[in-house]
Amino acid sequence: LFFGFFPWSGFLPAALFEIWTEWREARRSMPKDNDRKPGPQDLELFAALWLVGASVFFILSAPRLPHGIGPLYPAAAILVASYWSRCLKEPGTPGLRASLWTLMLLGFALGLILIASPLFYATYIEQISMQYPAARAVELGIGPTAAGFVLIIGVGIVGYFGLVEHRRAGAFWAAAVTIAAAMLIVIVIMLPHFS
């Protein structure tokens, strides 16, 4: 989920923690008659329970297939959008700097993995070709390296915008452009080599 929902996955831990603390505080201060109207926190709580419940279900199920986390993305998107909106309205939102650093570290790690993937592929091609003989005919080309550099530069720009309060709104757009450019490289340059 962290790599599949990247770059927004950097905000998930802080969003979940904030929902948990808000729910605990609201529960303690709830009137005894329990006559309250649903608010925005209820949607966030629903999305958090959806994300955690479905995650536990798919972790405990026997066939762990990659498409099994597909139902988690809408809940994660609701949580992150709500958290990011709160961060823009209230600059002192807890966990924002840690979320940005998490996003940057995930981006750097993924970028370095992509940059190093041609080297790993060349090193382990013999073992790979034992299982997949057609792997010897595949050349990775420049795609993984280009996508890795785009991610590293892009998350650096996200940090430049996000870690300073008056530029924070630009971090969202920098992250969106970064992931769009990386996916464009994957689709246009990398995938034709594998097909």
Side-chain angles (χ1 to χ4, degrees):
L1 181 64
F2 274 118
F3 286 113
F5 193 58
F6 181 80
W8 320 118
S9 55
F11 298 103
L12 275 177
L16 285 169
F17 181 74
E18 186 160 323
I19 293 301
W20 168 255
T21 56
E22 283 180 5
W23 176 75
R24 277 192 351 206
E25 290 173 11
R27 188 171 164 120
R28 286 183 189 148
S29 64
M30 187 181 298
K32 294 295 182 196
D33 61 0
N34 203 5
D35 187 28
R36 68 174 188 87
K37 296 186 173 150
Q41 313 88 307
D42 293 332
L43 175 63
E44 295 169 1
L45 180 61
F46 172 73
L49 291 173
W50 175 3
L51 184 72
V52 171
S55 295
V56 169
F57 175 77
F58 287 115
I59 288 170
L60 295 177
S61 65
R64 291 187 185 99
L65 301 173
H67 63 275
I69 64 168
L72 303 179
Y73 290 122
I78 291 169
L79 282 172
V80 169
S82 173
Y83 181 74
W84 183 252
S85 174
R86 189 175 310 115
C87 289
L88 290 178
K89 291 176 188 168
E90 304 165 13
T93 303
L96 176 61
R97 292 184 75 76
S99 296
L100 287 166
W101 280 107
T102 303
L103 182 149
M104 290 170 44
L105 288 174
L106 282 172
F108 289 141
L110 187 57
L112 290 174
I113 289 169
L114 283 169
I115 290 170
S117 63
L119 176 66
F120 291 136
Y121 188 76
T123 303
Y124 296 106
I125 189 64
E126 294 303 320
Q127 290 87 352
I128 295 170
S129 64
M130 287 181 192
Q131 292 290 324
Y132 306 102
R136 290 178 194 235
V138 175
E139 273 298 319
L140 291 183
I142 195 166
T145 305
F149 279 116
V150 164
L151 280 177
I152 289 173
I153 292 168
V155 295
I157 294 170
V158 168
Y160 170 77
F161 283 111
L163 293 174
V164 177
E165 186 178 325
H166 67 276
R167 295 188 298 234
R168 189 158 292 146
F172 178 85
W173 296 107
V177 168
T178 298
I179 199 63
M183 290 308 296
L184 188 64
I185 290 170
V186 167
I187 292 168
V188 172
I189 298 175
M190 288 173 59
L191 288 183
H193 288 283
F194 288 98
S195 67

